[in-house]
Amino acid sequence: MGGAFAEGLLASPDFKAEDLTIANPHEEKLQSFATRGASVTTSNTAAIRDADVVVLAVKPWVVPDVVDEIMDTLDYRRQTIVSFAASVNGNQLRKLFERDGRLPRIFEACPNIAIAECQSMTFLVPVEADDETTKKIERLFNLLGQTMTVDERALPAGTALAGCGIAYVMRFVRAATEGGVELGFKADVAKDIILQTMKGAVALLQQTGLHPEAAIDKVTTPGGLTIRGLNTMEENGFTHAVIAGLKASAAQDHQ
């Protein structure tokens, strides 16, 4: 996710590459970012020294070690922390960053991998932050898609709908592509047809504000092909499978 985040920032016309510093212990993973104007380093402390926003885009079990490493370099007066580690909650972040009774500004952020294309659905949780800083961090992530600021208790549902949900959408594309092959199209052609059809559906819903069922009614004539297909999908558990999958993804409480 850290690489996807960096890709998105570098792709955004509203973000300057020279304002981004990326740290990774493996130099080969940094080369492509350096060629596009970002500063790169294998040192976490060097990466954060002049930063206004410090993003922890590491695995949850690595967070304590990274915090220990950068703690003495952090400037709580001017720096803001954003954690991508979904299973490290706000209370844990407070404990990790507490220093002599003081805390920096802290956020949890849950983007999805479309952030690399500036099309993420990102959930933002202000753990320790004022309104001004929250708006600043919202503006940053709005460069990379759409941002929703929520209470921490909403993160499991948000992760299911957007974080896991992007994989569910891709699984639908795969299934529909396979169906297209059975109907006679080559796989790549079927995929392109499905993608354009999805783009059209999204545009219609966004621009008209219609409820999905109202939009469906516009293409389901009595006794027609569409209603036959929809009913067959429902007979095979389409809606139930989608809801059950989302609930399974959200079942792990955000402790």
Side-chain angles (χ1 to χ4, degrees):
M1 188 59 72
F5 176 61
E7 292 282 358
L9 288 174
L10 291 171
S12 171
D14 299 309
F15 190 86
K16 298 178 181 178
E18 57 265 31
D19 290 335
L20 178 64
T21 300
I22 305 167
N24 191 293
H26 306 288
E27 289 188 12
E28 66 275 12
K29 293 183 178 181
L30 295 169
Q31 292 173 0
S32 66
F33 300 117
T35 60
R36 284 175 282 175
S39 298
V40 299
T41 178
T42 56
S43 167
N44 289 327
T45 53
I48 72 164
R49 189 164 286 115
D50 297 319
D52 296 317
V53 178
V54 176
V55 177
L56 300 179
V58 297
K59 299 297 185 183
W61 56 87
V62 180
V63 171
D65 289 339
V66 173
V67 174
D68 284 344
E69 180 184 354
I70 66 175
M71 182 67 83
D72 290 340
T73 307
L74 285 170
D75 185 343
Y76 283 16
R77 295 168 299 176
R78 64 178 182 83
Q79 292 181 312
T80 299
I81 310 296
V82 178
S83 171
F84 281 4
S87 63
V88 181
N89 65 34
N91 285 334
Q92 291 170 319
L93 289 169
R94 289 186 185 97
K95 290 177 182 177
L96 286 169
F97 283 102
E98 190 275 332
R99 182 171 66 191
D100 299 326
R102 296 183 299 118
L103 286 167
R105 293 173 290 274
I106 305 173
F107 291 84
E108 294 176 72
C110 183
N112 65 29
I113 58 171
I115 200 167
E117 304 297 329
C118 301
Q119 290 294 333
S120 178
M121 177 67 244
T122 299
F123 296 91
L124 193 66
V125 178
V127 176
E128 288 286 330
D130 54 30
D131 289 344
E132 181 181 352
T133 306
T134 299
K135 291 177 182 177
K136 173 184 175 182
I137 300 301
E138 286 174 344
R139 285 195 297 271
L140 173 63
F141 282 96
N142 280 338
L143 298 178
L144 307 172
Q146 183 175 333
T147 308
M148 184 177 294
T149 299
V150 298
D151 292 333
E152 189 174 54
R153 62 187 177 183
L155 277 188
T159 299
L161 283 168
C164 304
I166 198 166
Y168 304 153
V169 172
M170 291 177 182
R171 179 59 60 87
F172 169 80
V173 173
R174 190 190 80 175
T177 298
E178 291 174 356
V181 172
E182 288 205 24
L183 293 171
F185 288 104
K186 291 187 178 295
D188 286 346
V189 175
K191 184 184 72 173
D192 288 343
I193 293 168
I194 297 302
L195 292 178
Q196 180 57 42
T197 302
M198 291 177 68
K199 286 171 67 176
V202 169
L204 281 169
L205 292 176
Q206 288 181 330
Q207 292 174 20
T208 65
L210 283 172
H211 186 282
E213 202 61 36
I216 288 171
D217 287 343
K218 291 180 176 294
V219 293
T220 50
T221 55
L225 300 176
T226 305
I227 194 63
R228 289 186 209 171
L230 286 170
N231 285 343
T232 302
M233 289 180 184
E234 290 303 330
E235 287 170 6
N236 285 275
F238 180 81
T239 296
H240 174 76
V242 172
I243 295 172
L246 289 168
K247 291 172 72 174
S249 296
Q252 181 64 44
D253 289 339
H254 197 76
Q255 299 294 332

